[in-house]
Amino acid sequence: MQNVKGYSETHNRTLQLVMTAVLIALVFVCTMLLNIKLPIKANGGLVHMGTAMLFITSILFGPKKGAYAGSIGMALFDIVGGWLIWAPITFVARGLQGYIVGKIAWAKGRQGNSMVLNIIGAVVSMPIMIAVYYVGEGLLYNNWVAPLASIPGDIVQNVLGLVVAIPLCAFLLKIPYFQNKLR
């Protein structure tokens, strides 16, 4: 009986590791392939679907997977997309954002099933993500005024992510595969 239990635990850990890797890849791909460069930011910046995928991941799979997918997926994009200097800031900002969304969406045993908690989680995460990028940009450029120009783009990106993620999560949560199997 010990071998069966050991196999089952190993199998579950492997499944969770693979699932996390796939979610990281999805955030990376949605950031990389589905983005629009903003002309209003002096230091670059994008509006991308990676934020929507971060929200979806956090809502469907919880705070840990949301944090891993957001931090690693978007930091990898920064590394390969020519934004290397931003990777550590992105890692922190998006890791916190994914964790907060998932923690609130999974509060009180809801596991992402409450659209109200899902929206609250996403909205609460937005100022924290914006604040981390603001402080990061302020430190990078030794200027605390210039980062203010980035805030409108950050807001647009988050609102767009929310508008895409919430209806998609509502749809996906009706599919039996997402109701119990992979959590």
Side-chain angles (χ1 to χ4, degrees), residues 92-115:
V92 173
R94 297 313 188 135
L96 284 171
Q97 188 171 33
Y99 185 81
I100 290 165
V101 174
K103 194 70 172 172
I104 294 172
W106 281 52
K108 302 178 184 177
R110 297 292 175 122
Q111 297 186 338
N113 293 318
S114 167
M115 286 305 126

Side-chain angles (χ1 to χ4, degrees), residues 120-133:
I120 290 171
V123 170
V124 166
S125 76
M126 292 177 194
I128 290 145
M129 174 276 226
I130 291 167
V132 171
Y133 275 114

Side-chain angles (χ1 to χ4, degrees), residues 34 39 58 102 111 118 121 129:
L34 303 171
S58 299
Q111 297 186 338
N118 297 346
M129 174 276 226

Side-chain angles (χ1 to χ4, degrees), residues 52-70:
M53 187 54 67
L54 177 147
F55 289 157
I56 292 165
T57 298
S58 299
I59 290 166
L60 295 180
F61 298 100
K64 287 182 183 177
K65 284 187 178 66
Y68 288 138

Side-chain angles (χ1 to χ4, degrees), residues 49 51-53 55-56 158-170:
M49 286 293 104
T51 303
M53 187 54 67
F55 289 157
I56 292 165
N158 278 280
V159 170
L160 181 62
L162 180 65
V163 167
V164 170
I166 295 301
L168 198 52
C169 284

Side-chain angles (χ1 to χ4, degrees), residues 12 15-16 19 60-61 106 109-111 113 172-183:
N12 187 43
L15 177 64
Q16 294 305 315
M19 173 101 35
L60 295 180
F61 298 100
W106 281 52
R110 297 292 175 122
Q111 297 186 338
N113 293 318
L172 290 172
L173 284 167
K174 292 178 183 177
I175 298 172
Y177 191 71
F178 286 101
Q179 290 176 349
N180 296 315
K181 189 172 183 180
L182 295 176
R183 296 175 184 239

Side-chain angles (χ1 to χ4, degrees), residues 20 35 122 135 138 157 159 163:
T20 302
N35 68 59
V135 170
Q157 183 178 122
V159 170
V163 167

